[in-house]
Amino acid sequence: VAYKYIGATTITAGGTTLITFSSIPSTFDHLVLMMRQKGDSTGQTVLQALIRFNSDTGANYWRRWLYTLGNSMNNSYSTSGMTSMNIGDGFAGLQTDSTNPSGYEVFIPNYCNEAGSKYKSIYWNGGFPGPTASSVGLTNVSCGTWFSNNAITSITIQQEGNVAFMAGTSMYLYGIS
Amino acid sequence: MANTYDLIVKTSLTGSTDLQNIPQTYTDLRIVCLGQNAGSSPNLSMRFNGITSAIYARNYISRDNNNYANYRESGQTGIEITNSYQSPDTNIFSIWTIDIINYRSTRFKTTIHGIYNPTFVTAGNGSTGAAIGLFRETSAISSIQFSGGTTGRVYVYGIKGA
């Protein structure tokens, strides 16, 4: 089987701030994280999801974004090491439809160095639609690097500001071999 | 429940990689490429069935270093997967995923590419984007040829209905 379920987390009530996949098997070539994020906060248009590997909180992450927000095309890249990689964006309090989810596919190839001992390059595609005239919508096609040659054995995801995920958030992790 | 997503082949990606005998038992193909090119080698390109005539086309959108780019080209002798294959840091793979939809069809074949070249700021600020390719040929795809680039890995998966 090339595509195998590893684990999932579904948030059914508010209050959870950290989602963790631990003891990830080393038997696959790649990982895929399917992420449905419902993030609510006040005073923000979007609420980023931050990913870390192996609980590394050092300044060992980098990312490049290409995205549309509303009617504008945007891009951004980190100019120095970051302490996490900001991969997703959920609807937040300034949106009319703040409870709608965003959807992301995060692809993590070579997580166990099967193709060679390298830093971990990943990409993610996703965003959220703007279902009303007053909500902006976002599309994101981006990539990043974790500057470590270590095999990935755990993944954690939290929202910026440590804001709790809303009920309806779900994350599924798959292995591909 | 039947398996619907199978690994067909996994092999090293070199300057010239020829994947023959693609099984004709799937609906679609997904290719994952991990590549690194520290020098000025040609960009990574893809051909099908060994055909080198000018029957390939491509559209793409990307953010490459400090520039947005979008481009359309037709009458090409292969589908250039990305025009920025280089990953100067030997510790970092660039990533491409390529979906070949209905590869056994008797109509022209469409490919969908995701392009990701993570490169740290000290060596360049990387690029990301997406592309659509076209193989203007009605025969089923039975082999895939990659050219350009230097080192890496390619994985080909078959996807089918139950």
Side-chain angles (χ1 to χ4, degrees), chain B residues 129-143:
Chain B
I132 296 289
L134 180 66
F135 176 46
R136 296 177 59 84
E137 168 61 41
T138 56
S139 60
I141 292 174
S142 58
S143 68

Side-chain angles (χ1 to χ4, degrees), chain A residues 18-24 50-61 82-85 120 146-148 150-158:
Chain A
L18 187 69
I19 293 174
T20 301
F21 294 95
S22 58
S23 303
I24 296 171
L50 312 176
I51 193 169
R52 290 191 174 101
F53 302 110
N54 296 3
S55 301
D56 181 6
T57 57
N60 298 316
Y61 302 86
M82 307 172 72
T83 58
S84 63
M85 202 184 303
K120 303 301 172 291
W146 177 44
F147 295 99
S148 172
N150 294 331
I152 293 173
T153 57
S154 69
I155 298 172
T156 56
I157 305 103
Q158 64 187 110

